[in-house]
Amino acid sequence: LKESEVNLNILLEESFLITLKFAIFHQVIFKTQLQNDLPHLKADPLHLQHIFVSLLCSAIELSPKGGTIKLSTAFNKDRVS
């Protein structure tokens, strides 16, 4: 693992772009609400992005045609979610 300071929103946006054609093919829509002022996380960005892409692909495959996948980020006190 190669840990570095990671912007969670940027990783999620890149993951959306990677899976966008797959989502369009399955007629699934992404809706996002990403909080702008998230603190950076210490993580391996490639590993984390791989996890996000895998989760998004699974969500796309399991969503009905015309379905919506909603994703949001938030920071509350000392917790990023």
Side-chain angles (χ1 to χ4, degrees), residues 3 13 18-19 21 23 27 29 31 35 37-39 41-42 44 48 52 55-57 63 68 71-72 75-76 79-80:
E3 287 188 353
E13 288 171 351
I18 290 168
T19 59
K21 285 184 182 180
Q27 299 179 1
I29 299 166
K31 286 198 177 180
Q35 185 174 330
D37 57 347
L38 290 180
L41 304 175
K42 192 163 194 155
D44 181 334
L48 200 52
F52 290 152
L55 288 170
L56 287 170
C57 285
S63 293
T68 301
L71 254 121
S72 64
F75 179 67
N76 299 320
R79 194 175 108 195
V80 174

Side-chain angles (χ1 to χ4, degrees), residues 2-62:
K2 292 187 178 183
E3 287 188 353
S4 62
E5 294 289 316
V6 175
N7 182 319
L8 184 63
N9 288 341
I10 289 174
L11 275 181
L12 283 171
E13 288 171 351
E14 290 172 352
S15 300
F16 294 141
L17 290 175
I18 290 168
T19 59
L20 185 59
K21 285 184 182 180
F22 190 54
I24 291 169
F25 178 78
H26 286 278
Q27 299 179 1
V28 174
I29 299 166
F30 289 133
K31 286 198 177 180
T32 62
Q33 186 174 4
L34 306 179
Q35 185 174 330
N36 291 328
D37 57 347
L38 290 180
H40 288 166
L41 304 175
K42 192 163 194 155
D44 181 334
L46 293 177
H47 190 135
L48 200 52
Q49 187 173 57
H50 177 75
I51 292 168
F52 290 152
V53 168
S54 294
L55 288 170
L56 287 170
C57 285
S58 293
I60 291 165
E61 289 175 339
L62 296 171

